[in-house]
Amino acid sequence: MLYRPDSCPSSRQTTACSTVHWRHAAVITLLLCLTGLLPNHSFAQPLAKGKDKFLGCATNSFLYRNLALYWNQVTPGNDGKWGRVESSRGQYNWTNLDLIYDFATQRNIPFKHHVLVWGSQQPSWIAGLDSANQRAAVESWIRAVGQRYTKTSFVDVVNEPFHPPLPSYKNALGGDGTTGWDWVITAFQLARQYCAPGVKLHLNEYNVLHSNTATTNYLTVINLLKDRGLIDGIGVQGHYFEFRSDMSSSSSYVYDIATIKANLNRLTATGLPVYITEFDIDEPNDANQLAQYKIYFPIFWTNPGVKGITLWGYIDGDIWTDHPNTYLIRYDGSERPALQWLRNYILSPQPPAPISPVAAVGIQRNPVLVWHSSDSATLYHVQLSDNSVFATFIMDTTIADTLLQLKPLDPNSRFYWRVSAANTSGTSDYSGTASFITGDLISAAEELGGIPSQFELSQNYPNPFNPSTAISFQLPAPSGVEGSAISVVTLRIFDVLGRDIAMLVNGERAAGRYTVRWDGTNENGESVTSGMYLYQLRAGTNVSTKKMVFVK
């Protein structure tokens, strides 16, 4: 049986209605089953598998099976809405929602319930009740969802509180009250009461990031909930119309990308994880959709405070009616170019972030360049220049490590450096450009190319540090021994009480110069507390110990 779409306003900017497009659903299902044209069999795992954030998709029950080929998070498009589940009071139809929930939990991927409280797609009967019965009905609905779906990862508690229509039962939940948002607070209190322990409670809204005022207002509600311990995540819908008009629009607009990024950072600065909950790019032309994916998707995927992105439909026939060109899979199962790019983009490493030296003055003439590792990277391409546009290079090299010891540079001069990451799937963009100004001093031996003449453990750099620091040392050849003799070397981290924290080097090393990095974690990979630590180098009878400070 095919379901008719729920009613949805025609204007794409009046409400981010979550109606899906059912057109030709039977045809799609038949084609996929009979012709075997399941999307790209050669990639039989989710695109974001093994990443530190998920890439999921909204769906409806009749097409949910194809999700396993691409996505590792699931949100029901319409099947979790109150008006769909309880169209008659006290009579629940969980069938379609159960299918999607079971799909997610059986595969151990996050399931997000969408949505508990929303002014749209609510039961028609709720408006006719008095306030006491409305409150009882809302509480009964939230309790029923919480008790039935105990393995839910996230739940949109309140959807679109800034946009009409607001719930007809708003006053039954406390109305504006003393905070201006008592009804939202009450909804979250009920969700916290009835959802299983560990279920993360989210607020969800659209048309936020492109407006400083809207973001400020959103933060007001978020902080009211945060102060009460009621919110666990921030939802930003991320529809295409939140960034710009479609390219064929007669009333074109493009919102400032710098503003979008800055407001996203304002949300992540709360310390709460941010989720892009309904991302889509509504362009009928393949090249245009691809171009817009390349602009907007990386804004969210590369932000460390964003912990997941959910596409709002992905296959033609299971998308939002008002936005019919957001799909990434065509009727015949073939992929649009944006999906092909998306796969390579996610599998490729992200740009690394320089750690040190950054905006530093008077540093040693032979500094160690240090940068964050990039997930899945196998190589890093490092460039050093004396001009900010890298018109010429002092150094242009590729290495496998995340730090690089430079040979002596000119004294009292400014230099610029950047780094990109690569693996077999592709190469990232370059990092932001970092700069530093040298002083007069050179660390350790003047000539870096030869065998050191003495044992030396250098002071770590930077110090104090967060999140990581570089430790350099040199091993000489024993007197009278030619070549680079071998020594058994250990480099260990201790706390001030002498307890072992981490072993950075343990094995044979030839005479020469070395640099290793410590990221402030112990042997179990757990971050250590702020404070002073000791690092000790042993090579044969030579021992040297120095102090460093880790600051969170």
Side-chain angles (χ1 to χ4, degrees):
M1 176 180 179
L2 301 182
Y3 291 90
R4 298 178 59 192
D6 300 289
S7 60
C8 179
S10 59
S11 172
R12 66 181 55 193
Q13 288 183 276
T14 55
T15 180
C17 172
S18 301
T19 303
V20 293
H21 187 37
W22 302 105
R23 180 164 49 95
H24 299 310
V27 174
I28 299 170
T29 305
L30 186 62
L31 281 173
L32 294 178
C33 292
L34 297 183
T35 67
L37 289 175
L38 289 172
N40 212 322
H41 290 291
S42 61
F43 298 94
Q45 64 180 26
L47 275 61
K49 182 178 181 180
K51 301 296 180 180
D52 62 355
K53 60 187 72 180
F54 63 72
L55 180 59
C57 189
T59 190
N60 289 274
S61 58
F62 71 92
L63 275 177
Y64 70 92
R65 296 174 185 84
N66 297 327
L67 277 165
L69 298 177
Y70 292 97
W71 321 116
N72 58 351
Q73 181 269 332
V74 180
T75 299
N78 274 327
D79 294 316
K81 294 168 184 171
W82 191 8
R84 174 64 63 85
V85 176
E86 194 184 4
S87 58
S88 298
R89 188 178 185 187
Q91 298 180 21
Y92 296 98
N93 181 359
W94 303 107
T95 303
N96 293 335
L97 188 55
D98 282 352
L99 287 172
I100 301 172
Y101 174 81
D102 291 343
F103 168 86
T105 55
Q106 288 169 5
R107 289 162 178 78
N108 197 30
I109 62 176
F111 169 83
K112 184 178 78 169
H113 181 81
H114 177 80
V115 54
L116 295 179
V117 173
W118 187 29
S120 293
Q121 295 180 253
Q122 62 185 9
S124 58
W125 50 264
I126 188 72
L129 302 180
D130 60 30
S131 182
N133 276 293
Q134 284 183 333
R135 167 64 184 250
V138 175
E139 186 165 353
S140 178
W141 157 244
I142 294 175
R143 179 173 58 245
V145 172
Q147 292 178 349
R148 187 175 187 88
Y149 301 113
T150 58
K151 295 181 181 179
T152 294
S153 298
F154 321 108
V155 57
D156 286 335
V157 179
V158 177
N159 195 42
E160 301 174 12
F162 290 98
H163 293 92
L166 295 180
S168 59
Y169 46 88
K170 170 186 169 182
N171 289 335
L173 295 179
D176 294 335
T178 58
T179 66
W181 296 97
D182 279 16
W183 67 277
V184 174
I185 293 171
T186 299
F188 272 80
Q189 288 171 335
L190 292 172
R192 186 69 86 198
Q193 177 180 352
Y194 291 118
C195 289
V199 175
K200 306 300 183 183
L201 308 185
H202 291 182
L203 186 66
N204 197 40
E205 189 52 275
Y206 74 101
N207 274 352
V208 174
L209 298 179
H210 66 253
S211 166
N212 293 331
T213 300
T215 301
T216 297
N217 292 338
Y218 200 32
L219 283 167
T220 296
V221 184
I222 290 166
N223 286 325
L224 285 171
L225 295 168
K226 184 182 177 186
D227 291 344
R228 292 162 172 78
L230 293 174
I231 188 171
D232 304 306
I234 302 170
V236 176
Q237 292 187 8
H239 291 292
Y240 188 39
F241 62 75
E242 299 180 58
F243 314 134
R244 58 160 299 152
S245 64
D246 59 80
M247 292 187 173
S248 62
S249 173
S250 59
S251 54
S252 296
Y253 61 91
V254 179
Y255 292 120
D256 181 57
I257 290 178
T259 299
I260 292 171
K261 290 180 177 179
N263 283 326
L264 178 62
N265 288 335
R266 292 175 67 193
L267 295 181
T268 60
T270 63
L272 293 169
V274 173
Y275 298 87
I276 308 305
T277 58
E278 302 180 23
F279 186 88
D280 55 33
I281 300 291
D282 184 25
E283 290 289 353
N285 179 276
D286 284 350
N288 290 343
Q289 187 190 51
L290 172 61
Q292 298 307 301
Y293 254 96
K294 288 181 177 180
I295 293 171
Y296 293 106
F297 187 86
I299 293 173
F300 305 112
W301 192 254
T302 59
N303 190 304
V306 174
K307 300 304 181 183
I309 299 178
T310 302
L311 306 183
W312 205 239
Y314 78 102
I315 190 168
D316 200 355
D318 189 24
I319 52 179
W320 181 8
T321 308
D322 277 9
H323 300 276
N325 300 299
T326 58
Y327 61 91
L328 296 173
I329 301 291
R330 303 184 184 94
Y331 285 138
D332 63 2
S334 61
E335 298 179 354
R336 294 182 74 181
L339 181 53
Q340 298 167 6
W341 169 83
L342 192 61
R343 176 185 292 107
N344 288 331
Y345 176 79
I346 290 173
L347 292 177
S348 300
Q350 298 304 307
I355 297 176
S356 67
V358 175
V361 178
I363 68 166
Q364 63 196 48
R365 290 172 53 195
N366 56 334
V368 177
L369 305 184
V370 184
W371 55 92
H372 288 287
S373 61
S374 181
D375 180 40
S376 77
T378 55
L379 293 172
Y380 297 93
H381 190 187
V382 189
Q383 293 182 334
L384 178 74
S385 180
D386 57 7
N387 62 82
S388 60
V389 297
F390 294 86
T392 58
F393 301 108
I394 297 171
M395 180 198 66
D396 188 8
T397 189
T398 300
I399 65 172
D401 206 347
T402 56
L403 47 85
L404 177 62
Q405 173 81 64
L406 300 182
K407 293 185 177 182
L409 303 169
D410 291 339
N412 306 308
S413 301
R414 182 181 291 278
F415 297 92
Y416 303 87
W417 67 282
R418 63 186 184 181
V419 57
S420 67
N423 62 17
T424 55
S425 295
T427 301
S428 76
D429 293 333
Y430 278 102
S431 65
T433 299
S435 69
F436 60 90
I437 299 176
T438 55
D440 295 314
L441 300 178
I442 295 176
S443 175
E446 178 75 26
E447 295 297 331
L448 295 180
I451 300 298
S453 60
Q454 61 184 8
F455 174 85
E456 181 177 319
L457 175 63
S458 299
Q459 185 63 49
N460 65 299
Y461 182 85
N463 186 44
F465 70 95
N466 180 19
S468 65
T469 189
I471 301 173
S472 298
F473 61 92
Q474 61 182 36
L475 306 173
S479 177
V481 177
E482 296 184 359
S484 46
I486 303 297
S487 300
V488 176
V489 179
T490 61
L491 178 60
R492 306 171 73 175
I493 309 295
F494 301 92
D495 64 15
V496 292
L497 298 178
R499 294 174 296 197
D500 280 321
I501 300 297
M503 178 77 77
L504 304 185
V505 178
N506 185 18
E508 295 183 340
R509 295 291 186 274
R513 294 172 178 83
Y514 299 87
T515 301
V516 296
R517 185 165 62 93
W518 185 44
D519 61 0
T521 60
N522 61 23
E523 293 289 1
N524 297 321
E526 302 164 335
S527 180
V528 299
T529 58
S530 298
M532 182 179 294
Y533 292 86
L534 307 176
Y535 59 104
Q536 183 181 84
L537 177 69
R538 286 182 177 270
T541 59
N542 295 306
V543 181
S544 181
T545 304
K546 291 184 180 295
K547 299 176 182 178
M548 58 182 168
V549 176
F550 178 53
V551 179
K552 284 190 174 180

